[in-house]
Amino acid sequence: DTEVTQTPKHLVMGMTNKKSLKCEQHMGHRAMYWYKQKAKKPPELMFVYSYEKLSINESVPSRFSPECPNSSLLNLHLHALQPEDSALYLCASSQSLQGSYGYTFGSGTRLTVV
Amino acid sequence: RKEVEQDPGPFNVPEGATVAFNCTYSNSASQSFFWYRQDCRKEPKLLMSVYSSGNEDGRFTAQLNRASQYISLLIRDSKLSDSATYLCVVTIRGSTLGRLYFGRGTQLTVWP
């Protein structure tokens, strides 16, 4: 299995809703990432997990809450989002903690906040 | 100053053309180098890693010039299916765990 699987593929949520994005990989990668990508922009780093521990939070607002239940799963809990949070949310994993081999990205969740 | 700079294009070329993309990076501690391809509304996919000796994968050739801090991607005999955004990506020694630094991407359209 050489894939990163993200669900759901599309999500529309209201500003008062709570929802979760899920990410799963079975490649034994110990580094996992959440990125956010707006149209015609490169991906922006949100969170880094290393060995299931949160290593980096790139000053992301608290309405985004990551969770790593085990080495294969990564969740992103969403609450009280704003319309400007609408974007493509990408999960990625890496074989190397230095990123020496690049990442494998999931297909993303396209989020629309209404 | 951005870590990675790319010409955003767009590049519009006919099928069969040869096209070259360039990218510069600002941090001399940059360690690993990649070209990613991103189709519209899809995730980035690793096209190829870039090595100091240069490397080739079929119609694609990547070059790295550490002295000039410059990376290139050459696509020969362009196909319609090559239409995408090409992202120049680097890692930096000592930075956040495996963080990738992305250029803004270069858009390529190949027309028949």
Side-chain angles (χ1 to χ4, degrees):
Chain A
D1 186 354
T2 57
E3 290 187 344
V4 175
T5 303
Q6 284 188 250
T7 56
K9 292 196 182 306
H10 302 275
L11 178 62
V12 179
M13 62 185 289
M15 289 188 283
T16 58
N17 290 160
K18 286 186 181 181
K19 296 285 184 183
S20 296
L21 309 185
K22 296 188 184 299
C23 173
E24 189 169 1
Q25 58 90 11
H26 295 287
M27 295 178 281
H29 291 178
R30 304 315 293 264
M32 296 185 75
Y33 308 82
W34 280 113
Y35 276 78
K36 172 183 177 179
Q37 188 176 25
K38 304 280 274 185
K40 298 191 183 298
K41 301 283 189 183
E44 297 175 13
L45 183 64
M46 300 176 72
F47 301 105
V48 179
Y49 272 83
S50 168
Y51 288 92
E52 297 128 61
K53 290 190 184 341
L54 181 63
S55 300
I56 299 295
N57 175 340
E58 287 286 316
S59 302
V60 179
S62 59
R63 57 186 184 268
F64 295 91
S65 175
E67 178 197 19
C68 189
N70 59 55
S71 60
S72 299
L73 293 174
L74 190 63
N75 298 323
L76 185 63
H77 303 298
L78 314 173
H79 174 53
L81 294 194
Q82 304 296 310
E84 59 264 29
D85 295 322
S86 299
L88 179 67
Y89 287 84
L90 293 161
C91 174
S93 70
S94 175
Q95 178 182 351
S96 161
L97 293 179
Q98 286 74 45
S100 305
Y101 306 105
Y103 296 168
T104 301
F105 281 94
S107 58
T109 294
R110 190 160 297 281
L111 174 67
T112 303
V113 182
V114 297
Chain B
R1 184 181 178 187
K2 287 185 186 286
E3 298 289 349
V4 182
E5 298 276 6
Q6 279 185 263
D7 178 351
F11 285 64
N12 297 300
V13 303
E15 268 187 298
T18 296
V19 61
F21 304 139
N22 302 319
C23 164
T24 57
Y25 59 94
S26 60
N27 195 319
S28 60
S30 295
Q31 186 171 31
S32 300
F33 308 88
F34 310 95
W35 284 102
Y36 274 76
R37 170 201 168 120
Q38 187 169 25
D39 293 286
C40 187
R41 301 179 69 83
K42 300 281 190 182
E43 76 276 21
K45 291 188 177 177
L46 180 62
L47 180 65
M48 56 199 305
S49 301
V50 188
Y51 304 112
S52 297
S53 54
N55 47 302
E56 187 174 312
D57 183 1
R59 299 181 291 109
F60 299 84
T61 300
Q63 298 277 355
L64 167 64
N65 184 322
R66 287 188 183 271
S68 303
Q69 298 187 181
Y70 170 94
I71 306 163
S72 65
L73 177 68
L74 183 76
I75 305 175
R76 291 182 299 278
D77 188 23
S78 298
K79 310 291 185 193
L80 296 177
S81 57
D82 293 333
S83 298
T85 296
Y86 290 83
L87 296 160
C88 178
V89 182
V90 307
T91 64
I92 298 176
R93 186 171 53 249
S95 77
T96 305
L97 287 164
R99 176 177 185 165
L100 298 187
Y101 292 84
F102 290 84
R104 59 188 296 189
T106 299
Q107 186 180 343
L108 171 67
T109 300
V110 181
W111 46 272

